[in-house]
């Protein structure tokens, strides 16, 4: 009998290769006969993409950390109710590029927002919805950020210094240590082909 729909998230600091590997993960799932909805945060709905533009815009460099947190959860509320829950209910797997672990890592670890406040919003917006499985692509900030910064102008998050991304990475690793049943860590320092092989192996095992 095939497994019920799974909610899979892909996490990590900027430049670890999340966007690069999203299609590949979806293809691996589809090859196993799964129907997959791909989405991302912040974003995934018209409202969410509008909020994303505000969050990334360097014109808002002085954004208050609580305002940032609330915008992220406003986008998430729309995304959960309009895309994630209905897709799962219709029998699809949902593959999401970042979700609430990113909030614990960036707003909690990076900005120093209290984790208890994030937990309150998580319960309010998501009720019992949590990812079943999270692939954490992990690499030191020096390596990952150097990859990402080959690109054009940086956004409001990418403008942060390496110490910020060190804190974000540490927060991700702490979360994964607390929930080893949900997280799978991928060594993203490896060349692209080797990362793909790790991911293919993990996807294969998670849907057996
Ligand atoms: N954010 C938040 O603060 N709180 C939240 O709750 C949520 C999000 C949900 C936008 O997210 C910002 O939102 C994010 C945190 C914040 N900002 N930051 N930082 P995003 O996911 O859209 O942004 P991002 O993480 O900056 O995306 P990214 O820089 O594109 O990272 P990526 O998707 O992990 O990397 P990539 O584009 O796939 O790869 C980057 C480059 O590296 C590219 O040229 C690849 O070809 C190359 N690459 C990738 N893997 C390898 C390997 N293994 N070897 C060599 N080269 C590689």
């Amino acid at each position: 009998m095939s497994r019920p729909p799974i909610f899979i998230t892909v996490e990590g600091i900027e430049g670890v290769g999340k966007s690069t590997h999203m299609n590949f993960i979806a293809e691996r799932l589809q090859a196993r006969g799964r129907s997959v909805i791909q989405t991302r945060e912040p974003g995934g709905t018209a409202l969410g993409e509008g909020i994303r533009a505000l969050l990334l815009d360097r014109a808002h460099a002085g954004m208050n950390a609580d305002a940032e947190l609330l915008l992220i959860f406003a986008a998430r509320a729309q995304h959960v109710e309009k895309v994630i829950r209905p897709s799962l209910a219709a029998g699809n797997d949902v593959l999401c590029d970042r979700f609430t672990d990113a909030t614990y890592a960036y707003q909690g670890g990076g900005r120093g927002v209290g984790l208890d406040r994030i937990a309150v919003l998580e319960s309010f917006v998501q009720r019992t919805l949590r990812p079943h499985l999270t692939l954490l692509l992990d690499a030191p900030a020096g390596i990952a950020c150097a990859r990402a910064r080959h690109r054009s102008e940086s956004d409001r998050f990418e403008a942060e210094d390496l110490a910020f991304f060190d804190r974000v990475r540490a927060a991700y690793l702490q979360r994964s240590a607390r929930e080893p049943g949900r997280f799978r860590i991928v060594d993203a320092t490896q060349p692209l082909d080797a990362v793909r092989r790790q991911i293919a192996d993990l996807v294969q095992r998670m849907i057996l």
Side-chain angles (χ1 to χ4, degrees):
M1 204 171 78
S2 72
R3 280 186 61 148
I6 356 177
F7 179 23
I8 304 165
T9 56
V10 183
E11 297 279 0
I13 60 173
E14 68 152 345
V16 287
K18 296 176 303 299
S19 315
T20 304
H21 296 293
M22 283 288 288
N23 285 340
F24 176 69
I25 298 168
E27 283 162 17
R28 299 310 304 164
L29 289 164
Q30 284 156 352
R32 308 280 303 187
R34 319 272 317 173
S35 160
V36 184
I37 303 296
Q38 263 192 72
T39 185
R40 69 171 180 179
E41 287 211 353
T45 64
L47 179 66
E49 293 295 328
I51 294 174
R52 178 189 177 91
L54 287 173
L55 285 164
L56 300 192
D57 189 345
R58 288 183 73 161
H60 304 304
M63 188 182 294
N64 172 267
D66 285 345
E68 180 179 281
L69 180 69
L70 292 167
L71 283 172
I72 286 166
F73 270 105
R76 184 162 297 142
Q78 187 78 357
H79 193 209
V80 164
E81 296 309 326
K82 299 289 184 193
V83 176
I84 300 177
R85 277 192 209 287
S87 300
L88 291 169
N92 304 290
D93 292 341
V94 173
L95 175 63
C96 190
D97 186 345
R98 295 191 184 282
F99 194 61
T100 308
D101 291 306
T103 315
Y104 282 101
Y106 278 81
Q107 282 60 54
R111 304 255 192 254
V113 171
L115 302 187
D116 51 338
R117 304 174 78 188
I118 299 174
V120 167
L121 291 169
E122 180 181 37
S123 297
F124 176 63
V125 165
Q126 297 166 222
R127 287 170 280 142
T128 57
L129 179 76
R130 301 288 184 276
H132 300 111
L133 215 134
T134 298
L135 295 179
L136 174 59
L137 275 61
D138 178 59
I143 294 178
C145 294
R147 285 179 188 159
R149 282 160 198 203
H150 285 305
R151 292 178 302 208
S152 52
E153 209 188 324
S154 57
D155 64 37
R156 199 173 60 84
F157 288 97
E158 291 164 352
E160 296 289 345
D161 59 16
L162 274 188
F164 176 87
F165 288 100
D166 281 336
R167 292 196 299 278
V168 174
R169 181 191 183 210
Y172 270 130
L173 290 173
Q174 275 165 19
R175 285 186 69 69
S176 67
R178 254 184 246 127
E179 283 189 73
R182 171 165 69 91
F183 278 88
R184 300 287 182 279
I185 299 185
V186 175
D187 178 2
T189 64
Q190 301 280 308
L192 276 175
D193 278 358
V195 176
R196 277 189 158 209
R197 279 197 297 277
Q198 291 179 66
I199 290 174
D201 186 45
L202 288 170
V203 171
Q204 165 97 359
R205 279 190 275 143
M206 77 195 176
I207 52 171
L208 278 179

